[in-house]
Amino acid sequence: MGSSDTGKAQFRSPTGQALTATGKDGREGAMGDPLKVTGMVLSAVPAGEYDRRTVLLTRERGKITAFARGARKPNSSLLAAATPFAFGIFTVYEGKSAYTLVQADISEYFREVREDVVAACYACYFMELAEYYTRENLDASGVLNLLYATLRALPKQQPDNELIRCVFEMKAMVMNGEYPYEAAEDPSLHESTRYAISYVIYAPVQKLYQFTLRPEIFTEFRKVQDYYNSLSIDRKFKSLDILQQMMA
């Protein structure tokens, strides 16, 4: 660590670049040691002339805001990493009100999802929902694993994307402690619907997307989840509105 004549605390990134922590309000502050986190980029928007403001869902720190300096420059090493769906290990410095992203080792870009317009719309909705359910400094490993498995399932389209959407919504609600487990025992539902609900509640994430439903069973399954969505989710999602317009 060194300091300049102006008193700004500077650090060296793993590549040797001098760094100064800057919060989302534009004020600069000192940074500690670099922190490596495993996670996925939920969203990325322009910030300033060349930067990007990203929201990362991380296993270690939950949902965090990280600024990628110069990430919009064509020669930036963070150009591809600071984009939605990028999954890997991110090196960040913690500032007063946000993190600074300085390096990334991306293991999965989910290119098949990016290249399919419909799949990408579903994925954006899942990202929004994951951001809705998670908080900074709270364990997000379950939601991160769910998000990863769901994006892996999307390009296969088996089960179809609407079933994937319904399962994701239900499992995310379960992980957030909001899903009424008694729904799996509702006698007004078809036995197959009750079994599907129970399966989603208790199945490990890696086995979630290994079943299909007959159309009439899925219709009932969807109605149940729509009802609980209306009770538990208090906001609209832009990506879902776009998706529903596309599917209309």
Side-chain angles (χ1 to χ4, degrees), residues 24-75:
K24 56 187 176 184
D25 57 2
R27 293 178 299 179
E28 294 176 317
M31 293 185 291
D33 295 331
L35 172 69
K36 289 184 180 291
V37 294
T38 299
M40 184 182 296
V41 180
L42 297 182
S43 63
V45 296
E49 188 174 1
Y50 295 113
D51 305 337
R52 276 202 181 110
R53 177 185 180 274
T54 68
V55 176
L56 304 177
L57 182 61
T58 72
R59 185 166 292 139
E60 297 82 0
R61 295 291 180 99
K63 180 179 64 180
I64 64 174
T65 297
F67 285 86
R69 306 299 173 191
R72 293 164 60 204
K73 294 181 179 180
N75 61 345

Coordinates of all heavy atoms in Angstrom, one line a residue, residues 24-75:
K24 N -20.1 4.2 -4.5 CA -21.1 4.4 -5.5 C -21.5 5.9 -5.5 O -22.1 6.4 -6.4 CB -22.3 3.5 -5.3 CG -22.9 3.6 -4.0 CD -24.0 2.5 -3.9 CE -24.6 2.5 -2.5 NZ -25.6 1.4 -2.3
D25 N -21.2 6.6 -4.4 CA -21.5 8.0 -4.3 C -20.3 8.9 -4.9 O -20.4 10.1 -4.8 CB -21.8 8.4 -2.9 CG -20.6 8.1 -1.9 OD1 -19.6 7.6 -2.4 OD2 -20.8 8.4 -0.7
G26 N -19.3 8.2 -5.3 CA -18.2 8.9 -6.0 C -17.0 9.3 -5.0 O -16.0 9.8 -5.5
R27 N -17.2 9.1 -3.7 CA -16.2 9.4 -2.8 C -15.1 8.3 -2.7 O -15.5 7.1 -2.7 CB -16.8 9.7 -1.4 CG -17.7 10.9 -1.4 CD -18.3 11.1 0.0 NE -19.2 10.0 0.4 CZ -19.8 9.9 1.5 NH1 -19.7 10.9 2.4 NH2 -20.6 8.9 1.8
E28 N -13.9 8.7 -2.5 CA -12.8 7.7 -2.4 C -12.5 7.4 -1.0 O -12.6 8.2 0.0 CB -11.6 8.3 -3.1 CG -11.8 8.4 -4.6 CD -10.6 9.1 -5.3 OE1 -10.1 10.0 -4.8 OE2 -10.3 8.6 -6.4
G29 N -12.1 6.1 -0.8 CA -11.7 5.7 0.6 C -10.7 4.5 0.5 O -10.5 4.0 -0.6
A30 N -10.1 4.2 1.6 CA -9.1 3.2 1.6 C -9.6 1.8 1.4 O -10.8 1.5 1.8 CB -8.3 3.3 2.9
M31 N -8.8 0.9 0.8 CA -9.2 -0.5 0.6 C -8.3 -1.3 1.4 O -7.1 -1.0 1.6 CB -9.1 -0.8 -0.9 CG -10.1 -0.1 -1.8 SD -10.0 -0.7 -3.5 CE -8.5 -0.1 -4.0
G32 N -8.8 -2.5 1.8 CA -8.0 -3.5 2.5 C -7.4 -4.5 1.5 O -7.1 -4.1 0.4
D33 N -7.2 -5.7 2.0 CA -6.6 -6.7 1.1 C -7.6 -7.1 0.1 O -8.8 -7.1 0.3 CB -6.2 -7.9 2.0 CG -5.1 -7.6 3.0 OD1 -4.3 -6.7 2.7 OD2 -5.1 -8.2 4.1
P34 N -7.1 -7.7 -1.1 CA -8.0 -8.2 -2.1 C -8.8 -9.3 -1.6 O -8.3 -10.2 -0.8 CB -7.1 -8.6 -3.2 CG -5.7 -8.8 -2.6 CD -5.7 -7.8 -1.4
L35 N -10.0 -9.4 -2.0 CA -10.9 -10.5 -1.6 C -11.4 -11.3 -2.9 O -11.8 -10.7 -3.9 CB -12.1 -9.9 -0.9 CG -13.3 -10.9 -0.6 CD1 -12.9 -11.8 0.5 CD2 -14.5 -10.0 -0.1
K36 N -11.2 -12.6 -2.8 CA -11.7 -13.4 -3.9 C -13.1 -14.0 -3.6 O -13.2 -14.6 -2.5 CB -10.7 -14.6 -4.2 CG -9.4 -14.1 -4.8 CD -8.5 -15.3 -5.2 CE -7.2 -14.8 -5.8 NZ -7.4 -14.3 -7.1
V37 N -14.0 -13.8 -4.5 CA -15.4 -14.3 -4.2 C -15.8 -15.1 -5.5 O -15.5 -14.8 -6.6 CB -16.4 -13.2 -3.9 CG1 -16.0 -12.5 -2.6 CG2 -16.4 -12.1 -5.1
T38 N -16.6 -16.1 -5.2 CA -17.2 -16.9 -6.3 C -18.6 -16.5 -6.5 O -19.4 -16.4 -5.5 CB -17.2 -18.4 -5.9 OG1 -15.9 -18.9 -5.7 CG2 -17.8 -19.3 -7.0
G39 N -18.9 -16.1 -7.7 CA -20.3 -15.6 -8.0 C -20.6 -15.4 -9.4 O -19.9 -15.9 -10.3
M40 N -21.7 -14.7 -9.6 CA -22.3 -14.5 -11.0 C -22.7 -13.0 -11.1 O -23.2 -12.4 -10.1 CB -23.4 -15.4 -11.2 CG -24.0 -15.3 -12.6 SD -25.5 -16.4 -12.9 CE -24.8 -18.0 -12.7
V41 N -22.5 -12.4 -12.3 CA -22.9 -11.1 -12.5 C -24.4 -11.1 -12.8 O -24.9 -11.7 -13.7 CB -22.2 -10.5 -13.7 CG1 -22.7 -9.0 -13.9 CG2 -20.7 -10.5 -13.5
L42 N -25.2 -10.4 -11.9 CA -26.6 -10.3 -12.1 C -27.0 -9.2 -13.0 O -28.0 -9.4 -13.8 CB -27.3 -10.1 -10.7 CG -27.2 -11.2 -9.6 CD1 -28.0 -10.8 -8.4 CD2 -27.7 -12.5 -10.2
S43 N -26.3 -8.1 -12.9 CA -26.6 -7.0 -13.8 C -25.4 -6.1 -14.0 O -24.5 -6.1 -13.1 CB -27.8 -6.1 -13.2 OG -27.4 -5.6 -12.0
A44 N -25.3 -5.4 -15.0 CA -24.2 -4.5 -15.3 C -24.7 -3.3 -16.1 O -25.4 -3.4 -17.1 CB -23.1 -5.2 -16.1
V45 N -24.4 -2.1 -15.6 CA -24.9 -0.8 -16.3 C -23.7 0.1 -16.4 O -22.8 0.1 -15.6 CB -26.1 -0.2 -15.5 CG1 -27.3 -1.1 -15.5 CG2 -25.6 0.2 -14.1
P46 N -23.7 1.0 -17.4 CA -22.7 2.0 -17.6 C -22.6 2.9 -16.4 O -23.6 3.2 -15.8 CB -23.1 2.7 -18.8 CG -24.0 1.8 -19.6 CD -24.7 1.1 -18.5
A47 N -21.3 3.3 -16.0 CA -21.1 4.2 -14.9 C -20.0 5.1 -15.4 O -18.8 4.6 -15.6 CB -20.7 3.5 -13.6
G48 N -20.2 6.4 -15.5 CA -19.2 7.3 -16.0 C -18.9 7.0 -17.5 O -19.7 6.5 -18.2
E49 N -17.7 7.4 -17.9 CA -17.4 7.3 -19.3 C -17.0 5.9 -19.7 O -17.3 5.5 -20.8 CB -16.3 8.3 -19.7 CG -16.0 8.4 -21.2 CD -15.0 9.5 -21.5 OE1 -14.5 10.2 -20.5 OE2 -14.7 9.7 -22.7
Y50 N -16.3 5.2 -18.9 CA -15.7 3.9 -19.3 C -16.0 2.8 -18.3 O -15.7 1.6 -18.6 CB -14.2 4.0 -19.4 CG -13.7 4.9 -20.6 CD1 -13.1 6.1 -20.3 CD2 -14.0 4.6 -21.9 CE1 -12.7 7.0 -21.3 CE2 -13.6 5.5 -22.9 CZ -12.9 6.7 -22.6 OH -12.5 7.5 -23.6
D51 N -16.6 3.1 -17.2 CA -16.8 2.1 -16.1 C -18.1 1.3 -16.3 O -19.0 1.7 -17.0 CB -16.7 2.7 -14.8 CG -15.4 3.5 -14.6 OD1 -14.4 3.2 -15.3 OD2 -15.4 4.4 -13.7
R52 N -18.2 0.3 -15.5 CA -19.5 -0.4 -15.3 C -19.8 -0.7 -13.9 O -18.9 -1.0 -13.1 CB -19.5 -1.8 -16.0 CG -19.8 -1.8 -17.5 CD -20.2 -3.1 -18.0 NE -20.5 -3.1 -19.5 CZ -19.8 -3.7 -20.4 NH1 -18.7 -4.5 -20.0 NH2 -20.1 -3.7 -21.6
R53 N -21.0 -0.5 -13.5 CA -21.5 -0.8 -12.2 C -22.2 -2.2 -12.2 O -23.2 -2.3 -12.9 CB -22.5 0.3 -11.7 CG -23.1 0.0 -10.3 CD -24.2 1.0 -10.0 NE -24.8 0.8 -8.7 CZ -25.8 0.0 -8.5 NH1 -26.3 -0.7 -9.5 NH2 -26.3 -0.1 -7.3
T54 N -21.6 -3.1 -11.5 CA -22.2 -4.5 -11.6 C -22.8 -4.8 -10.2 O -22.4 -4.3 -9.2 CB -21.1 -5.5 -11.9 OG1 -20.1 -5.6 -10.8 CG2 -20.3 -5.1 -13.2
V55 N -23.7 -5.8 -10.3 CA -24.2 -6.4 -9.1 C -23.8 -7.9 -9.2 O -24.2 -8.5 -10.2 CB -25.8 -6.2 -9.0 CG1 -26.3 -7.0 -7.8 CG2 -26.1 -4.8 -8.9
L56 N -23.1 -8.3 -8.2 CA -22.6 -9.7 -8.2 C -23.4 -10.5 -7.1 O -23.5 -10.0 -6.0 CB -21.1 -9.8 -7.9 CG -20.2 -9.0 -8.8 CD1 -18.7 -9.1 -8.2 CD2 -20.2 -9.5 -10.2
L57 N -23.8 -11.7 -7.4 CA -24.3 -12.6 -6.4 C -23.2 -13.5 -6.0 O -22.7 -14.3 -6.8 CB -25.5 -13.4 -6.9 CG -26.1 -14.3 -5.9 CD1 -26.7 -13.5 -4.7 CD2 -27.3 -15.1 -6.5
T58 N -22.7 -13.4 -4.8 CA -21.5 -14.2 -4.4 C -21.8 -15.2 -3.3 O -22.7 -14.9 -2.4 CB -20.4 -13.2 -3.9 OG1 -20.7 -12.7 -2.6 CG2 -20.2 -12.1 -4.9
R59 N -21.0 -16.2 -3.2 CA -21.2 -17.2 -2.2 C -20.7 -16.7 -0.9 O -21.3 -17.0 0.2 CB -20.3 -18.5 -2.6 CG -20.5 -19.7 -1.7 CD -19.9 -20.9 -2.4 NE -20.7 -21.3 -3.5 CZ -20.2 -21.7 -4.7 NH1 -18.9 -21.8 -4.8 NH2 -21.0 -22.1 -5.6
E60 N -19.7 -15.9 -0.8 CA -19.1 -15.4 0.4 C -19.7 -14.2 1.0 O -19.8 -14.0 2.2 CB -17.6 -15.2 0.2 CG -16.8 -16.4 -0.2 CD -16.9 -16.7 -1.7 OE1 -17.6 -15.9 -2.4 OE2 -16.3 -17.7 -2.1
R61 N -20.2 -13.2 0.2 CA -20.7 -11.9 0.7 C -22.1 -11.6 0.3 O -22.6 -10.5 0.5 CB -19.8 -10.8 0.2 CG -18.3 -10.9 0.7 CD -18.3 -10.6 2.2 NE -16.9 -10.6 2.7 CZ -16.2 -9.5 2.9 NH1 -16.6 -8.3 2.6 NH2 -15.0 -9.6 3.5
G62 N -22.8 -12.6 -0.3 CA -24.2 -12.4 -0.7 C -24.2 -11.5 -1.9 O -23.3 -11.5 -2.8
K63 N -25.1 -10.6 -2.0 CA -25.3 -9.6 -3.2 C -24.4 -8.4 -2.9 O -24.6 -7.7 -1.9 CB -26.7 -9.3 -3.4 CG -27.0 -8.3 -4.5 CD -28.5 -8.0 -4.7 CE -29.0 -7.3 -3.5 NZ -30.5 -7.0 -3.6
I64 N -23.5 -8.1 -3.8 CA -22.7 -6.9 -3.6 C -22.7 -6.0 -4.9 O -22.9 -6.5 -6.0 CB -21.2 -7.3 -3.3 CG1 -20.6 -8.0 -4.4 CG2 -21.2 -8.1 -2.0 CD1 -19.1 -8.3 -4.1
T65 N -22.4 -4.8 -4.7 CA -22.2 -3.8 -5.9 C -20.7 -3.7 -6.1 O -20.0 -3.4 -5.1 CB -22.9 -2.5 -5.6 OG1 -24.3 -2.6 -5.5 CG2 -22.6 -1.5 -6.7
A66 N -20.3 -3.8 -7.3 CA -18.9 -3.7 -7.6 C -18.7 -2.9 -8.9 O -19.3 -3.2 -9.9 CB -18.2 -5.1 -7.7
F67 N -17.8 -1.9 -8.8 CA -17.5 -1.1 -9.9 C -16.3 -1.6 -10.7 O -15.2 -1.9 -10.1 CB -17.2 0.4 -9.5 CG -18.5 1.1 -9.1 CD1 -19.0 1.0 -7.8 CD2 -19.1 1.9 -10.1 CE1 -20.1 1.7 -7.5 CE2 -20.3 2.6 -9.7 CZ -20.8 2.5 -8.5
A68 N -16.5 -1.8 -12.0 CA -15.4 -2.3 -12.8 C -14.8 -1.1 -13.6 O -15.4 -0.7 -14.6 CB -15.9 -3.4 -13.8
R69 N -13.7 -0.6 -13.2 CA -13.1 0.6 -13.8 C -12.5 0.3 -15.2 O -11.8 -0.7 -15.4 CB -12.0 1.1 -12.9 CG -12.4 1.3 -11.4 CD -13.5 2.4 -11.3 NE -14.0 2.5 -9.9 CZ -15.1 3.2 -9.6 NH1 -15.8 3.8 -10.5 NH2 -15.5 3.2 -8.4
G70 N -13.0 1.1 -16.1 CA -12.5 0.9 -17.5 C -13.0 -0.3 -18.2 O -12.5 -0.6 -19.3
A71 N -14.0 -0.9 -17.7 CA -14.5 -2.2 -18.3 C -15.2 -2.0 -19.6 O -15.4 -3.0 -20.4 CB -15.5 -2.8 -17.3
R72 N -15.5 -0.8 -20.0 CA -16.2 -0.5 -21.3 C -15.1 -0.2 -22.4 O -15.5 0.1 -23.5 CB -17.2 0.6 -21.1 CG -18.4 0.2 -20.3 CD -19.2 1.4 -19.8 NE -19.8 2.1 -20.9 CZ -20.1 3.4 -20.9 NH1 -19.9 4.1 -19.7 NH2 -20.6 4.0 -21.9
K73 N -13.9 -0.1 -22.0 CA -12.8 0.1 -23.0 C -12.6 -1.2 -23.8 O -12.6 -2.3 -23.2 CB -11.5 0.6 -22.3 CG -11.6 1.9 -21.7 CD -10.3 2.3 -21.1 CE -10.4 3.7 -20.4 NZ -9.1 4.1 -19.8
P74 N -12.4 -1.1 -25.1 CA -12.2 -2.3 -25.9 C -11.1 -3.2 -25.5 O -11.2 -4.4 -25.7 CB -12.0 -1.7 -27.3 CG -12.6 -0.4 -27.3 CD -12.4 0.1 -25.9
N75 N -10.1 -2.7 -24.9 CA -8.9 -3.5 -24.5 C -8.9 -3.9 -23.0 O -7.9 -4.4 -22.5 CB -7.6 -2.8 -24.8 CG -7.5 -1.4 -24.1 OD1 -8.5 -0.9 -23.5 ND2 -6.3 -0.9 -24.0

